[in-house]
Structures are given as C-alpha cells and as structure tokens.
Amino acid sequence: MYKKEISKAVINRLPRYYRYLGDLLEKDVVRISSKELSEKMKVTASQIRQDLNNFGGFGQQGYGYNVEYLHSEIGKILGLDTKYNMIIIGAGNLGLALANYADFERRGFFVKCIFDIAPSLIGTEIRGITVKNAEEMENYIKMNKVDIAAVTVPKTKAPSIASDLAKWGVKGIWNFAPTDLNLPKDVTVENVHLAESLMKLSYRLSGNDIE
Ligand code: NAI
C-alpha cells in the first residue's frame, strides 16, 4: 500500500491517534485544530504534522483536521478497512479473555474459532465461539480463511504450533507466549510480551525515562 519506508516510531503512534480520533468521533467532534489535538494527546503539533506527512498529510492550514476523515485514513493505513478472521490457539486464561473481548470486532477482527487440547474445554462455547479440538486445526485452516492466529499456549508449545500455522498458510501470528518465534519472512509476527512491558514499568518506576 504505502511503498515509502515508515519508521517504527511513527507506526507505533498511529494506533493511539486512531483511538483518540475514535473517541472524538463518538463525541460528535467534526474537526480539531492541530494545536487542540496536540494538547489532548500530549504530542507536539509538529510531531503530529510530521507523522501524518509520511502519508501525505491530512490537515488544512486554518482548518485543522477533519476528525472523521483523519480517523478513516489512519484506519486505512493500519489496514483496519479490512476484515480479519482470527483463531485463538489455547483456551486458557488469556485465550478466553481475548475471546471474551467483543471490542476487537469493532476494529474488524473477528474471532471465528478457538482450539485447545484439553478434553474439558473442547466443545464448550465462549460468546458463541466454539472451542474445537486442536487436532482439527490443520483442516480448519485449509477449509476456512484464517488471517490471524492468536497464540496463547504455554511457551514450550508455542514455537512448534506457530511453525505449523505458518506451514498451513496463516500469515499473521499474534504471539502472547513469552518466547521468540522463528518463522518464514512472509509471516508477520506481533509479540505481546506482558511481562516485558511490566519490566519497562519497573525500569521507569526506578526513576528512568524511556524515549
Ligand atoms: P493457561 O495454562 O491458562 O492456558 C493455556 C491453554 O493452552 C490450556 O487450555 C492448554 O490446554 C492449551 N494448550 C496446551 N497445549 C496446546 C496445544 N498444543 N494446542 C492447543 N492448545 C494447547 O495459560 P494462560 O495463562 O492462558 O497463558 C497462555 C500463554 O500466555 C502462556 O504462554 C503464558 O506465558 C502467556 N501469558 C499469559 C498471561 C496471563 O495473564 N494469563 C500474561 C502473559 C503471558
């Protein structure tokens, strides 16, 4: 889509712009000046302009930003104008918490199925989503469009499960297991390591700052 190389820092800020603009939309705000946006988001106006200029810029001098337009354009940049089918591997504490969170659907991420190996879980339902036997996973992926697999299994199991998912054609892995996954380049992995995030909090509580 966007051929230009965009820095990670900019990409990391976009979801926050998107969320913030979504909140403004819910309050029926039609437009916002870059100054107001910058004050509310605690990001300098020039930072916002620079970030958005990476994608052509969306503001107009003297007008500011049209909230709905900017929200929808950032959504497109983030690929949120697409609908993603997601499966969850591991129906434990975390897998069930993800499955229970209906808000992902608002962003275009639809949890279609959950897989587990525990007989006590197989056949149960969470918000109408069935937990299937992990043995059925290969067949399911081959017969259904699966864009993203959330991996919420113990860390010892995650690498081999992720390799299987890649082999069966899943291109997006949302990995919650605290382990690194080595997958082919055409598979995109987003790691969510909660303990690492806590360690950063601990670092900052010790009086340090992180850029
Ligand atoms: P859990 O033990 O509650 O759930 C793991 C589930 O995976 C179980 O239901 C188990 O039957 C299933 N499972 C095991 N092998 C499987 C396989 N081959 N195929 C399909 N399912 C399989 O664990 P929890 O707490 O949900 O954590 C899951 C992962 O997320 C772990 O790697 C953990 O380290 C990580 N994590 C969890 C956090 C949490 O708040 N629960 C926080 C940070 C990381």
Side-chain angles (χ1 to χ4, degrees), residues 84-90 98 109-115 137 140-141 145-153 161-166 168-177 181 183 187-192:
Y84 297 98
N85 286 342
M86 183 153 87
I87 58 172
I88 297 174
I89 329 298
L98 294 181
F109 302 92
F110 294 87
V111 179
K112 295 291 187 182
C113 198
I114 312 173
F115 293 93
M137 200 154 59
Y140 180 93
I141 291 169
K145 178 178 173 282
V146 175
D147 305 297
I148 297 173
V151 175
T152 53
V153 294
I161 290 177
S163 295
D164 283 344
L165 290 166
W168 300 330
V170 177
K171 295 288 181 230
I173 307 277
W174 197 20
N175 174 39
F176 288 82
L181 304 175
L183 297 172
V187 177
T188 303
V189 180
E190 178 65 26
N191 293 300
V192 185

Side-chain angles (χ1 to χ4, degrees), residues 70-170:
L70 186 54
H71 183 257
S72 121
E73 290 303 304
I74 292 180
K76 284 185 206 161
I77 293 165
L78 292 171
L80 301 178
D81 52 344
T82 311
K83 289 202 179 343
Y84 297 98
N85 286 342
M86 183 153 87
I87 58 172
I88 297 174
I89 329 298
N93 290 310
L94 196 52
L96 292 187
L98 294 181
N100 264 315
Y101 190 58
D103 217 42
F104 294 137
E105 280 147 30
R106 222 159 52 86
R107 308 262 184 254
F109 302 92
F110 294 87
V111 179
K112 295 291 187 182
C113 198
I114 312 173
F115 293 93
D116 206 291
I117 50 169
S120 59
L121 292 171
I122 294 166
T124 58
E125 280 195 6
I126 299 100
R127 278 199 316 122
I129 309 159
T130 311
V131 179
K132 289 186 189 288
N133 191 329
E135 285 175 6
E136 296 170 36
M137 200 154 59
E138 177 176 2
N139 195 38
Y140 180 93
I141 291 169
K142 289 182 174 166
M143 301 301 288
N144 295 276
K145 178 178 173 282
V146 175
D147 305 297
I148 297 173
V151 175
T152 53
V153 294
K155 73 172 182 181
T156 49
K157 307 275 189 77
S160 69
I161 290 177
S163 295
D164 283 344
L165 290 166
K167 193 168 71 192
W168 300 330
V170 177

